[in-house]
Amino acid sequence: MAPRIIEAVLISLLAGSASAGLQWGECPTDAEKSNGLDCATIKVPLDWDRPSGKQITLSMNRIRAKDPGARIGSLIYNAGGPGDAATTEVAAFGDGSFYMSDDLMKHFDIIGLDPRGIGRSSPIQCDYDKYNNPATLFPKTDAEFQQLIKYNKDFALSCLKRSGDLVKYVDTVSVAKDMDAVRAALGDKKINFLGESYGTQIAAAYSELFPHNIRTLVFDGVVDHSLSETTLLATETIAYETEYNRFVAWCGTESSCPLYGQNISQQFDDLINRAEGSGIDAPECKGVCRSPVTAWDILTQFQNLLIYKEVDPKYTYPPTWDFAADALKMAFNGNLTNVATPLAQDDNADGWQGQMVNCLDWNHDISSLADVHYYNQLMKSYAPHTQGTAQSYSNSMQCIGWPFKVRDGNRRTLPKKTPPLLLVNSLYDDQTPYDWAVGLQEQLANSVLLTRDGDGHTSYTLGGESSRLIDAYFINCTLPAENTVVDT
Ligand SMILES: *[C@@H]1O[C@H](CO)[C@@H](O)[C@H](O)[C@H]1NC(C)=O
Ligand SMILES: *[C@@H]1O[C@H](CO)[C@@H](O)[C@H](O)[C@H]1NC(C)=O
Ligand SMILES: *[C@@H]1O[C@H](CO)[C@@H](O)[C@H](O)[C@H]1NC(C)=O
């Protein structure tokens, strides 16, 4: 035991944080307990520039390596969002409802680390009533534009009031520093990290801050943090519309699609037109979703529903295109529940964490109603059906008038010498377009982009060929050849 304790102390000294190893204990949920997961917390500084100032708590869960003799180390997982709790998804790996290969589970402790402000880590709480009654993100008049600015500011201040200064420090550079503190506390000299979607932005920040602490970093569904707000919006708008069109074409040829044989585009456009402006009254929402349901609600939810075309039916966790088609079918028949925004039920809800992060992570260029109109015209010209109502648009509009300083504005990622890094993206990803992956790959000198010639957002949890190539990288540090393209 003694050498281990000394090692733990040394590591915590090296990490420069107050952590002295981790105390693993029982997890809070029955599913985690019955599947043998354990849980731990660690304290990190709220502000990494003031390491001995106020501390916050990060939470994590762990699936221990199934073959301790073959254990390589820990593999930290991030579920994306921003705002998604990694502990939830790692719990799903643990009970087999979401894919993680036996090979990885044999060689690694799988760590679900909830980023600061998210999941079980020191949470961001906000006024849920304000959240449930937002201003329109499509202001048409100066009065509506001023209302949006006021709303964003009031909402942000409601979070400050409940959560304190944490709301000013959930930027991704701070998250990457937290992750390095966790690496050290886990006793790992080098990190292994699987970042999904927004998690790739954490990986990019980590590669710049700690290039010497990397063993393997996987960027799955890639965010390019160097893009301007307009380019982000334009590229995501095109990607969402492209994927929508592919969904409609798929439904037209797959007899299993719940909308097979129907004119989907016409019904979809009619629904969106009816929901424009003040929205469609949805009594079926009854306390579970926001009513009236606006075009923004439907288009935002539908983008998320396109995330996976199909998955092995034994994995029940994510929605697939069948579910998306079914949600639309119900909506066409008058029940909007599955295309409406879920209502927050209290100040601890989890709808707003992503906004908190994005408002600190990107420079926001919109400063007038005229700017909004330019955006809206750009969106409609590129995307007659989905109208550019993609995450990037919401991020821009929800941050206008934000009262806290941007801490990690967009810029190129230019790490010093790193080990080889692996990026993965599908060609038809409606949330992180392929161009974002190509863009980040150009910035990371020592990296390979693995292309999946298929649909949907992120690849690892589909369990296909790309997952096996990712496994080989994590386990053996071998990369696929440049320009490798796989179908699954
Ligand atoms: C669907 O309806 C639209 C609008 O009426 C029409 O332009 C289009 O040709 C129709 N598509 C099919 C496949 O019938
Ligand atoms: C609407 O759909 C939801 C989700 O499938 C369902 O739970 C609910 O019972 C439906 N409501 C009505 C009024 O049909
Ligand atoms: C890692 O390398 C070993 C030895 O070459 C090989 O047997 C194994 O299949 C590789 N693992 C993966 C996941 O590719």
Side-chain angles (χ1 to χ4, degrees):
M1 284 311 283
R4 278 232 178 131
I5 291 166
I6 291 166
E7 190 181 292
V9 170
L10 270 179
I11 285 163
S12 75
L13 288 175
L14 290 173
S17 81
S19 63
L22 296 167
Q23 296 275 329
W24 291 95
E26 203 169 66
C27 291
T29 70
D30 290 341
E32 287 168 301
K33 282 180 213 162
S34 60
N35 290 306
L37 276 72
D38 48 12
C39 282
T41 61
I42 181 177
K43 297 254 191 242
V44 292
L46 171 72
D47 176 357
W48 276 102
D49 292 337
R50 276 178 285 164
S52 51
K54 184 175 160 33
Q55 306 287 298
I56 56 172
T57 301
L58 305 178
S59 289
M60 68 196 93
N61 59 4
R62 170 176 75 170
I63 306 171
R64 267 163 294 178
K66 306 277 189 238
D67 182 352
R71 183 179 174 280
I72 296 169
S74 310
L75 193 164
I76 301 178
Y77 179 80
N78 178 276
D84 295 349
T87 49
T88 307
E89 297 202 0
V90 167
F93 297 145
D95 71 19
S97 62
F98 203 23
Y99 176 85
M100 162 123 337
S101 73
D102 292 342
D103 229 2
L104 284 192
M105 303 237 249
K106 177 175 153 193
H107 289 289
F108 292 95
D109 290 343
I110 310 295
I111 309 290
L113 171 63
D114 287 345
R116 50 174 60 207
I118 290 165
R120 297 178 194 155
S121 293
S122 289
I124 294 183
Q125 299 170 321
C126 299
D127 180 340
Y128 80 105
D129 192 44
K130 272 199 174 59
Y131 171 81
N132 288 338
N133 295 287
T136 177
L137 297 184
F138 296 91
K140 302 261 188 298
T141 63
D142 261 317
E144 283 178 345
F145 185 67
Q146 294 308 326
Q147 257 168 26
L148 177 62
I149 294 177
K150 182 176 182 320
Y151 171 82
N152 289 344
K153 192 169 169 210
D154 286 353
F155 179 64
L157 293 176
S158 86
C159 311
L160 177 69
K161 191 168 160 200
R162 287 163 181 74
S163 321
D165 285 341
L166 178 60
V167 295
K168 303 175 187 170
Y169 293 95
V170 288
D171 59 286
T172 299
V173 164
S174 297
V175 172
K177 290 177 178 173
D178 293 346
M179 197 160 87
D180 197 58
V182 170
R183 172 199 61 75
L186 287 165
D188 288 2
K189 287 203 181 67
K190 307 231 168 185
I191 203 164
N192 302 288
F193 176 61
L194 173 53
E196 305 277 341
S197 188
Y198 160 73
T200 66
Q201 199 186 317
I202 304 174
Y206 192 93
S207 75
E208 283 190 313
L209 291 163
F210 308 105
H212 303 298
N213 294 350
I214 298 170
R215 180 175 169 277
T216 51
L217 290 184
V218 170
F219 302 66
D220 184 12
V222 182
V223 176
D224 179 356
H225 196 213
S226 75
L227 298 178
S228 73
E229 203 166 39
T230 309
T231 308
L232 266 185
L233 177 62
T235 46
E236 195 184 338
T237 292
I238 294 166
Y240 181 13
E241 183 81 356
T242 303
E243 190 68 328
Y244 165 86
N245 285 325
R246 288 174 64 85
F247 165 83
V248 171
W250 167 83
C251 212
T253 55
E254 268 310 311
S255 56
S256 66
C257 175
L259 288 167
Y260 179 70
Q262 297 189 28
N263 191 329
I264 299 173
S265 271
Q266 186 182 13
Q267 294 184 82
F268 189 87
D269 294 348
D270 285 351
L271 178 71
I272 299 303
N273 286 338
R274 277 197 294 132
E276 295 278 7
S278 50
I280 302 171
D281 241 351
E284 66 275 17
C285 268
K286 271 195 306 264
V288 299
C289 45
R290 231 185 240 166
S291 172
V293 177
T294 64
W296 179 85
D297 293 309
I298 299 169
L299 290 167
T300 301
Q301 294 304 313
F302 193 66
Q303 185 186 19
N304 290 328
L305 292 181
L306 289 177
I307 184 168
Y308 295 129
K309 183 174 180 182
E310 53 205 352
V311 296
D312 187 325
K314 71 175 179 264
Y315 304 114
T316 53
Y317 194 72
T320 57
W321 283 12
D322 277 327
F323 183 89
D326 196 56
L328 278 190
K329 185 179 179 183
M330 286 199 309
F332 296 161
N333 292 331
N335 183 343
L336 294 163
T337 310
N338 287 344
V339 289
T341 304
L343 276 180
Q345 302 297 337
D346 57 42
D347 290 353
N348 295 309
D350 62 2
W352 47 70
Q353 285 75 3
Q355 178 182 359
M356 300 291 138
V357 176
N358 287 324
C359 291
L360 301 182
D361 268 5
W362 297 87
N363 299 313
H364 298 284
D365 303 329
I366 292 182
S367 60
S368 69
L369 181 63
D371 292 344
V372 177
H373 285 161
Y374 291 135
Y375 272 34
N376 292 158
Q377 288 172 82
L378 175 155
M379 292 153 72
K380 290 202 178 184
S381 72
Y382 283 160
H385 303 294
T386 57
Q387 306 190 5
T389 305
Q391 264 189 40
S392 297
Y393 181 70
S394 302
N395 293 348
S396 302
M397 301 307 290
Q398 290 173 333
C399 297
I400 300 174
W402 204 244
F404 316 128
K405 242 194 3 248
V406 170
R407 285 179 58 82
D408 181 24
N410 27 320
R411 60 190 165 71
R412 289 171 72 77
T413 300
L414 298 167
K416 298 214 180 66
K417 199 168 167 26
T418 67
L421 307 177
L422 178 58
L423 283 64
V424 188
N425 218 88
S426 80
L427 287 177
Y428 306 105
D429 184 321
D430 66 315
Q431 300 184 37
T432 53
Y434 189 69
D435 15 346
W436 296 3
V438 173
L440 184 65
Q441 199 276 327
E442 285 165 357
Q443 294 161 56
L444 299 174
N446 195 7
S447 68
V448 164
L449 169 59
L450 169 65
T451 302
R452 180 168 64 78
D453 183 0
D455 295 275
H457 179 45
T458 74
S459 299
Y460 186 75
T461 52
L462 296 175
E465 286 172 84
S466 38
S467 320
R468 278 187 287 283
L469 291 169
I470 291 170
D471 286 351
Y473 171 65
F474 275 131
I475 294 167
N476 291 332
C477 295
T478 49
L479 281 179
E482 282 184 285
N483 287 315
T484 300
V485 181
V486 295
D487 290 331
T488 59

